[in-house]
């Protein structure tokens, strides 16, 4: 039997990741190779140093190739929220007589939506159903086999920046990759971490990365809305560096020590071992306040996104938190939940030993790629 391996690239806001894997037993993944590369990243829907993106990708692939040992002919690339947008479409097909709905009818609905949604400098990435509707206006997620005289659907259309796709196509062509398929990262992530029953009503998935935060509204098999802004965990690190007068790398070390649930007294400090070998005492309350200030800013912006982009205000939308920007700060999730005044659950992949919110994006892309394969 031929091994069904896929190669997936996650384009993070501060690092690139590549994984080669196949399906394992009991819903697990059998990972053949994995590598990451830090790079200049992106802000506000544009790469900071586009000329260096190619070097970082080539270096990443060289490492994966050295372990994988096979020619890479096809790869899947996740398109981040900052390079994407979501549009909605309502389509309907009338039959000449009442009959069972077939897969070809569903395909025709999707085809209509792809023709109707045209935006400058954007390409359709995927079209997914939010719900279907038959004769009796009853909404369903499984219309095939239902007898009806017509079938309609509300569809989610995800578009990606044409410049993103053309840039990666050029780079991978230069590297000898024959085929590149693009996946919507927020959607792939949501499909992995959310059960089908949860998606019958709208859920919100917040992903706080290094330099970017996305807010995805998920229902059925698609996204009803998607937005993002350029603020994340690296801004917390920069704040600590500036406020405490330490280097960025030392601030990274300090951030790992932060425990937001601790209420420090005047004599309480974090003992920071700097990269220069010195021990620096950082007042606990002061460092915690610096972190909380930035998390509060991110939370306020998330709340504004929810207010602006929710189709109706429902205070009981379940909210899931992914990414490393908040989840890796001890007490970060609880403080973040307090700031947005909502209950928050971690969005974790249901994969043993890999069930951490910072793995949700990459494993979501991997799961989607394997399903496509």
């Amino acid at each position: 039997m031929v091994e069904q391996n896929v190669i997936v690239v996650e384009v993070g806001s501060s690092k690139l990741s590549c994984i080669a894997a196949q399906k394992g037993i009991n819903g697990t993944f059998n990972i053949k190779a994995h590598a990451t590369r830090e790079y200049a990243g992106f802000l506000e829907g544009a790469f900071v140093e586009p000329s260096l993106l190619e070097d970082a990708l080539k270096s990443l692939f060289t490492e994966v190739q050295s372990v994988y040992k096979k020619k890479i002919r096809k790869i899947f690339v996740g398109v981040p929220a900052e390079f994407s947008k979501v549009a909605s479409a309502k389509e309907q097909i009338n039959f000449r007589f009442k009959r069972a709905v077939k897969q070809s009818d569903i395909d025709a609905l999707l085809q209509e939506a792809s023709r109707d949604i045209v935006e400058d400098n954007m390409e359709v990435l995927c079209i997914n159903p939010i719900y279907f509707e038959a004769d009796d206006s009853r909404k369903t997620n499984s219309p095939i086999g239902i007898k009806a005289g017509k079938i309609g659907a509300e569809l989610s259309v995800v578009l990606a920046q044409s410049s993103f796709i053309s840039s990666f196509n050029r780079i991978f062509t230069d590297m000898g990759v024959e085929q590149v398929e693009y996946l919507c990262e927020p959607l792939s992530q949501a499909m992995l971490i959310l059960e089908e029953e949860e998606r019958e009503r709208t859920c919100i998935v917040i992903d706080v990365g290094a330099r970017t935060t996305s807010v995805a509204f998920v229902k059925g098999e698609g996204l009803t809305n998607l937005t993002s802004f350029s603020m994340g965990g690296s801004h917390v690190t920069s704040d600590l560096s500036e406020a405490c007068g330490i280097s960025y790398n030392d601030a990274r070390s300090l951030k790992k020590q932060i425990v937001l649930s601790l209420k420090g007294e005047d004599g309480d400090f974090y003992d920071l071992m700097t990269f220069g070998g010195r021990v620096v005492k950082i007042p606990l309350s002061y460092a915690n306040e610096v972190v909380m200030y930035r998390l509060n800013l991110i939370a306020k912006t998330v709340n504004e996104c929810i207010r602006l982009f929710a189709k109706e205000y429902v205070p009981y939308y379940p909210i899931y938190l992914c990414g490393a920007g908040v989840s890796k700060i001890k007490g970060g999730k609880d403080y973040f939940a307090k700031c947005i005044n909502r209950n928050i659950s971690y969005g974790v992949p249901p994969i043993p030993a890999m069930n951490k919110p910072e793995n949700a994006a990459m494993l979501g892309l991997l799961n989607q790629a394997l399903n496509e394969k």
Side-chain angles (χ1 to χ4, degrees), residues 258-270:
I258 298 287
V259 182
L260 293 184
S261 57
L262 293 178
K263 306 294 179 193
E265 303 294 331
D266 286 346
D268 291 332
F269 297 89
Y270 291 114

Side-chain angles (χ1 to χ4, degrees), residues 300-329:
K300 277 184 175 177
T301 313
V302 164
N303 257 347
E304 188 64 10
C305 291
I306 293 172
R307 188 183 71 78
L308 288 172
F309 287 89
K311 288 195 171 178
E312 68 279 327
Y313 177 67
V314 181
Y316 304 110
Y317 281 169
I319 296 184
Y320 295 85
L321 177 67
C322 300
V326 171
S327 65
K328 293 195 88 168
I329 299 170

Side-chain angles (χ1 to χ4, degrees), residues 174-195:
D174 288 347
M175 290 163 60
V177 176
E178 295 167 8
Q179 194 179 354
V180 186
E181 187 167 333
Y182 294 90
L183 305 173
C184 173
E185 183 187 295
L187 178 61
S188 300
Q189 177 174 258
M191 292 299 107
L192 181 63
I193 66 170
L194 301 176
E195 297 285 345

Side-chain angles (χ1 to χ4, degrees), residues 28-194:
T28 60
F29 299 127
N30 183 5
I31 295 171
K32 304 290 188 178
H34 181 231
T36 61
R37 279 291 178 281
E38 290 198 355
Y39 76 125
F42 59 79
L43 282 169
E44 297 174 3
F47 288 102
V48 176
E49 293 184 43
S51 59
L52 299 181
L53 176 63
E54 184 168 353
D55 294 339
L57 270 174
K58 284 182 176 174
S59 171
L60 182 73
F61 262 64
T62 299
E63 184 176 341
V64 169
Q65 192 88 66
S66 69
V67 177
Y68 186 57
K69 305 290 188 192
K70 297 175 185 175
K71 179 169 172 57
I72 296 173
R73 299 184 183 280
K74 177 177 180 177
I75 62 158
F76 292 85
V77 177
V79 182
E82 286 213 18
F83 298 90
S84 311
K85 70 178 289 186
V86 170
S88 63
K90 285 197 171 181
E91 303 292 348
Q92 182 175 297
I93 294 175
N94 296 307
F95 306 141
R96 281 185 295 175
F97 51 85
K98 205 163 187 173
R99 62 168 174 79
V101 176
K102 299 181 288 191
Q103 181 61 50
S104 58
D105 302 321
I106 306 307
D107 294 341
L109 284 172
L110 302 183
Q111 195 85 34
E112 282 297 315
S114 70
R115 278 196 289 264
D116 290 347
I117 303 289
V118 178
E119 292 216 21
D120 290 343
N121 306 314
M122 304 291 285
E123 294 184 26
V124 173
L125 199 57
C126 59
I127 303 173
N128 298 89
I130 303 299
Y131 63 81
F132 295 96
E133 205 167 54
D135 289 350
D136 55 5
S137 297
R138 183 168 53 90
K139 293 174 181 175
T140 178
N141 292 326
S142 306
I144 294 174
I146 293 175
K147 284 202 168 181
K150 63 182 180 184
I151 184 70
E154 181 174 341
L155 301 167
S156 163
V157 183
V158 180
L159 301 114
Q161 279 185 22
S162 301
S163 57
F164 180 96
I165 291 174
S166 61
S167 293
F168 278 84
N169 280 348
R170 181 188 58 76
I171 293 169
F172 287 123
T173 299
D174 288 347
M175 290 163 60
V177 176
E178 295 167 8
Q179 194 179 354
V180 186
E181 187 167 333
Y182 294 90
L183 305 173
C184 173
E185 183 187 295
L187 178 61
S188 300
Q189 177 174 258
M191 292 299 107
L192 181 63
I193 66 170
L194 301 176

